[in-house]
Each structure stands twice: as structure tokens, then as C-alpha cells.
Amino acid sequence: MRAEVSVVYNSKRLGGANTISRPVSQADIAFQKSVLKDKATIRLAITDIYKGNQVKYTQNLPGLLSSSYGYYESRQVRLSFNYRFSSGATKDQRNRKSALESESGRIQ
């Protein structure tokens, strides 16, 4: 069994001339398990576990204070199943000659 954790953090920042956005963050987690004699993989991934990817902007202009809020649909749960049909062994690479190599062999 394998596990993976990913965390992203964006600090408070100036988004435009007078636009300030608050910090946002996101944490993702995934679990993966090999099955069927390592021929297949089952993976469960969850993104934005605690709904931290919410944006809030404040814009301060002379005589105007504007504030906006938004939430992306970033929370997802994904379950995937991958199966490898090949045996894992690759064929030997074919020895090919390019047109230029074949022409240079004739002009000697």
C-alpha cells in the first residue's frame, strides 16, 4: 500500500493595483494498492480535504471598498482501476536506417 499527501499554500497577495486576496490552501491525499499479482492498481484520491481553496478578494479604491468571495468546486473523490495487459517485457528495438543514411551508402 502506498500513500501520498500533497499540500499547497498561497499567502496573502496583491492581485492587482488595489486588489488584495487572502491566503488559500489545499490538502490532497491518495492511497494506492497493487492487486492481481501486480498487474492492476486501485487508487483512491481525495482533493481539498478541508475546503481550504476558498478565495476572498478586497479591493480598496478612493471612495469604494469592494469585497468578493468565491469557492471553487475543488473537493473531489476519485477511485480508479488500472490494469496492465502487457507482460512488462519489451521487444528489441528494430534497427532502422533513415533515408539520409540509405542515400549516403549509395553515393561513395
Side-chain angles (χ1 to χ4, degrees):
M1 165 97 50
R2 290 183 176 179
E4 178 181 321
V5 176
S6 173
V7 178
V8 176
Y9 175 79
N10 289 317
S11 64
K12 181 177 177 180
R13 62 202 175 278
L14 184 63
N18 298 310
T19 305
I20 298 173
S21 62
R22 74 173 185 87
V24 294
S25 60
Q26 178 174 325
D28 308 335
I29 190 165
F31 301 97
Q32 180 173 308
K33 173 100 173 124
S34 293
V35 293
L36 302 176
K37 298 181 183 176
D38 291 335
K39 295 284 283 181
T41 304
I42 296 174
R43 180 176 172 92
L44 174 68
I46 305 168
T47 59
D48 199 7
I49 296 169
Y50 59 88
K51 290 188 177 182
N53 199 357
Q54 301 174 11
V55 294
K56 182 177 182 181
Y57 296 101
T58 303
Q59 190 171 29
N60 193 356
L61 298 169
L64 174 70
L65 177 62
S66 172
S67 197
S68 62
Y69 175 83
Y71 175 70
Y72 302 110
E73 293 191 25
S74 57
R75 180 181 278 176
Q76 298 177 357
V77 176
R78 293 185 304 258
L79 179 65
S80 62
F81 177 79
N82 295 316
Y83 186 80
R84 290 173 288 286
F85 291 98
S86 71
S87 64
T90 58
K91 294 181 182 179
D92 291 335
Q93 185 177 3
R94 290 189 293 178
N95 189 7
R96 294 186 188 177
K97 289 187 178 181
S98 68
L100 181 60
E101 289 173 333
S102 130
E103 286 296 318
S104 66
R106 291 192 305 154
I107 308 172
Q108 285 187 9

